[in-house]
């Protein structure tokens, strides 16, 4: 095992922010958040989402980061060390399984995004006729080779960045890419707001319709808060183990939460005015990004350039999220099995490659292979998002609140007394003991179809 003296880690406050924000910001911001906000009542949903983030997302994120920093180890070793002889370390194992499952389908969507960066350079897939853009996307998904090749481009890039380590890889790359992401997004927003549909697009996103806020909407908001903040599977624990000792964790987590929210809102402001200007329907999921938007771009001045900018910024968002996902099993193999970091990366990339190929091919060659009506892609998404992540979140909240306990947590969050975070920690422990686990439990029952 590596000792803490040689352990790689983030070197600056800015680097910590960039890497952690890089994990939170991802495909979830670009298509999930805007579309879900629009479909569930605009500002009403936004308010519920804020509550969900404050009551579930932020506390669990702070708990995970603090656990990781206290242990300075991978999630399995961390939980083993903090509760010796008890089975809490299984939460770390389940997190590792969840990481592979998420990466299996996530990497395929990132592969489509990369393919579209290329397509926007070529100028293909750009047509004002949505039937044509739909055909272009369908052709990409239906081609086993194209899917697999782009997925391997993604995996080799992410593996290559991780090869450089935490400070010189993850931190250095996200520190450069995150500001670029904000810049590109701001530019798209300014452009989008000059369009005829700007007023309608903003109204769709922000006009409060509280009559639409029901139990289902609340559940959707909690689930989204969970996925957005990368919690429930040890990602934040892993990154926490790289945090500096003098980092103010609650403050950092709150900043990440706000910046992540800003990216989501800006994405909505960039997308919806353009969509409404040309009379399209605001849909969620792949069809918005890969079918509707190219048709919108085709009708705008500099459409090809705008499409390029959009897919580059979506790639940037996805890269930071993928880095944080792959780092979880890499660190486990490196620290627990004593593998060299480079070998650990190679093994993990191979595993994701195999699982991911299954997901990519489940759209074409293996389309008939289904479990309860779900192909492999949907199955991975369902099992990770609806089972493993919420389960991990509940257990991490309970572990921090009840097992680790108020005093130890409070000392760790206050940097051993050098920060005045004690009252805050007391409040957090109450939320972690009762509120977050209960809320997540209800969401999980709903996701599994029990309510
Ligand atoms: N937060 C990322 C997004 O919004 C996805 C993500 C990265 C994630 N790491 C995670 C989700 C860990 C759950 C768990 O797209």
């Amino acid at each position: 095992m590596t000792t803490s003296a040689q352990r790689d880690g983030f070197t600056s406050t800015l680097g910590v922010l960039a890497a952690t924000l890089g994990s939170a910001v991802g495909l979830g911001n670009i298509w999930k958040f805007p579309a879900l906000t629009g479909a569930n009542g605009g500002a009403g949903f936004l308010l519920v989402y804020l509550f969900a983030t404050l009551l579930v997302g932020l506390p669990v994120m702070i708990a995970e980061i603090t656990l990781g920093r206290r242990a300075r180890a991978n999630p399995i070793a961390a939980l083993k060390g903090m509760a010796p002889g008890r089975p809490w370390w299984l939460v770390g194992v389940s997190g590792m399984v969840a990481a592979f499952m998420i990466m299996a389908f996530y990497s395929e969507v990132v592969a489509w995004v990369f393919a579209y960066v290329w397509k926007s350079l070529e100028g293909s897939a750009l047509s004002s006729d949505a039937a044509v853009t739909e055909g272009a996307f369908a052709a990409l998904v239906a081609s086993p080779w194209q899917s697999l090749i782009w997925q391997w481009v993604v995996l080799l890039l992410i593996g290559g960045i991780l090869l450089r380590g935490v400070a010189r890889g993850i931190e250095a790359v996200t520190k450069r890419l995150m500001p670029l992401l904000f810049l590109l997004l701001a530019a798209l927003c300014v452009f989008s707001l000059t369009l005829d549909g700007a007023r309608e697009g903003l109204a769709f996103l922000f006009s409060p319709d509280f009559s639409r806020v029901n139990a289902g909407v609340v559940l959707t908001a909690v689930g989204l808060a969970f996925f957005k903040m990368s919690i429930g599977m040890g990602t934040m624990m892993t990154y926490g183990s790289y945090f500096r000792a003098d980092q103010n964790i609650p403050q950092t987590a709150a900043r990440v939460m706000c910046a992540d929210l800003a990216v989501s809102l800006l994405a909505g402001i960039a997308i919806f005015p353009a969509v409404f200007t040309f009379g399209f329907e605001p849909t969620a999921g792949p069809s918005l990004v890969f079918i509707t938007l190219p048709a919108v771009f085709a009708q705008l001045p500099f459409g090809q350039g705008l499409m390029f900018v959009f897919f580059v910024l979506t790639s940037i968002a996805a890269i930071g999220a993928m880095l944080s996902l792959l780092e979880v099993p890499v660190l486990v193999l490196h620290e627990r099995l004593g593998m060299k970091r480079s070998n650990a990366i190679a093994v993990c990339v191979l595993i994701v490659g195999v699982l991911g190929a299954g997901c990519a091919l489940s759209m074409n060659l293996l389309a008939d292979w289904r479990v309860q009506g779900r192909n492999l892609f949907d199955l991975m998404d369902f099992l990770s998002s609806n089972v493993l992540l919420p389960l991990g979140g509940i257990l991490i909240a309970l572990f921090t609140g009840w097992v680790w306990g108020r005093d130890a947590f409070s000392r760790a969050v206050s940097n051993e007394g050098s920060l005045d975070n004690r009252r805050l920690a007391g409040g957090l422990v109450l939320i972690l003991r009762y509120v977050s686990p209960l809320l997540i439990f209800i969401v999980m029952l709903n996701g599994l179809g029990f309510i």
Side-chain angles (χ1 to χ4, degrees):
M1 243 201 220
T2 346
T3 63
S4 57
Q6 318 162 311
R7 212 166 179 275
D8 202 353
F10 301 133
T11 57
S12 65
T13 298
L14 198 68
V16 166
L17 268 178
T20 316
L21 182 62
S23 170
V25 168
L27 298 172
N29 301 63
I30 313 284
W31 78 41
K32 267 195 176 163
F33 179 90
L36 284 177
T37 305
N40 290 300
F45 177 82
L46 230 137
L47 213 63
V48 179
Y49 175 76
L50 267 178
F51 269 107
T53 315
L54 289 174
L55 289 180
V56 177
L58 200 56
V60 177
M61 188 182 194
I62 294 172
E64 269 199 42
I65 293 175
T66 313
L67 280 167
R69 189 180 66 177
R70 162 45 45 88
R72 292 261 177 245
N74 63 84
I76 299 179
L79 292 165
K80 259 199 166 141
M82 295 171 89
R86 298 172 61 188
W88 287 99
W89 56 275
L90 289 171
V91 177
V93 176
S94 125
M96 196 168 138
V97 173
F100 280 122
M101 288 180 142
I102 296 176
M103 280 188 284
F105 70 88
Y106 204 89
S107 64
E108 183 52 24
V109 183
V110 187
W112 298 336
V113 175
F114 276 35
Y116 267 71
V117 172
W118 179 253
K119 281 179 192 288
S120 49
L121 281 176
E122 281 184 339
S124 64
L126 197 65
S127 161
S128 55
D129 181 356
V132 175
T133 57
E134 187 171 353
F137 181 57
L140 169 68
V141 172
S143 156
W145 282 116
Q146 283 201 52
S147 306
L148 290 180
I149 288 171
W150 283 110
Q151 193 168 33
W152 272 98
V153 172
V154 173
L155 289 177
L156 292 179
L157 175 72
I158 302 298
I161 295 174
L162 287 191
L163 221 45
R164 298 175 57 89
V166 177
R168 291 179 53 237
I170 300 174
E171 179 177 350
V173 167
T174 50
K175 224 159 80 181
R176 287 190 180 90
L177 288 186
M178 291 320 280
L180 184 62
L181 177 119
F182 273 98
L183 208 72
L184 295 180
L185 201 50
L188 279 188
C189 282
V190 169
F191 185 87
S192 198
L193 287 173
T194 63
L195 298 172
D196 294 339
R199 184 175 289 257
E200 203 186 338
L202 292 182
F204 173 73
L205 199 57
F206 293 115
S207 67
D209 180 358
F210 290 102
S211 67
R212 307 260 293 275
V213 177
N214 55 27
V217 169
V218 175
L219 297 176
T220 310
V222 179
L224 180 66
F226 225 76
F227 193 80
K228 281 296 328 105
M229 300 187 70
S230 309
I231 51 181
M233 51 149 284
T235 296
M236 286 300 161
M237 236 192 262
T238 304
Y239 272 21
S241 78
Y242 302 137
F243 267 48
R244 288 152 40 119
D246 60 356
Q247 198 79 30
N248 188 341
I249 293 176
Q251 187 192 57
T252 306
R255 283 182 178 162
V256 167
M257 179 202 126
C258 292
D260 178 67
L261 188 68
V263 173
S264 299
L265 291 174
L266 288 174
I269 295 171
I271 292 172
F272 288 118
V275 169
F276 280 103
T277 300
F278 300 103
F280 285 106
E281 279 298 308
T283 50
S287 60
L288 174 66
V289 171
F290 298 105
I291 297 170
T292 306
L293 285 182
V296 169
F297 288 134
Q299 303 176 55
L300 293 173
F302 319 109
Q304 192 177 344
L306 290 171
M307 179 166 160
F308 177 71
V309 168
F310 175 79
F311 281 104
V312 167
L313 84 84
T314 307
S315 309
I316 293 176
I319 287 171
M322 274 295 290
L323 285 173
S324 73
L325 283 161
L326 193 60
E327 180 64 18
V328 174
V330 164
L331 184 67
V332 171
L333 293 192
H334 173 53
E335 284 188 345
R336 287 208 69 78
L337 302 184
M339 266 189 206
K340 259 172 68 184
R341 188 172 164 89
S342 51
N343 292 343
I345 292 169
V347 170
C348 292
V349 163
L350 263 176
I351 297 177
V352 178
V354 170
L355 288 175
C359 289
L361 298 180
S362 74
M363 307 272 173
N364 36 65
L365 296 180
L366 305 178
D368 292 333
W369 195 88
R370 279 164 192 275
V371 179
Q372 292 193 326
R374 292 190 172 87
N375 63 17
L376 197 64
F377 185 102
D378 296 332
L379 194 68
M380 294 284 168
D381 186 7
F382 174 79
L383 285 179
S384 54
S385 304
N386 292 2
V387 183
L388 294 179
L389 288 186
L391 207 62
I394 293 177
L395 291 171
I396 289 165
L398 291 177
F399 179 84
T400 310
W402 296 101
V403 181
W404 198 22
R406 190 199 168 97
D407 292 340
F409 176 70
S410 173
R411 269 200 309 280
V413 162
S414 313
N415 297 358
E416 309 302 326
S418 60
L419 291 176
D420 189 19
N421 278 345
R422 288 239 309 284
R423 289 247 304 279
L424 179 73
L428 282 171
V429 165
L430 281 184
I431 296 178
L432 288 167
R433 278 185 179 173
Y434 305 103
V435 184
S436 319
L438 198 70
L439 269 176
I440 304 169
F441 187 63
I442 298 172
V443 172
M444 192 166 108
L445 289 187
N446 174 65
L448 296 178
F450 291 123
I451 5 178

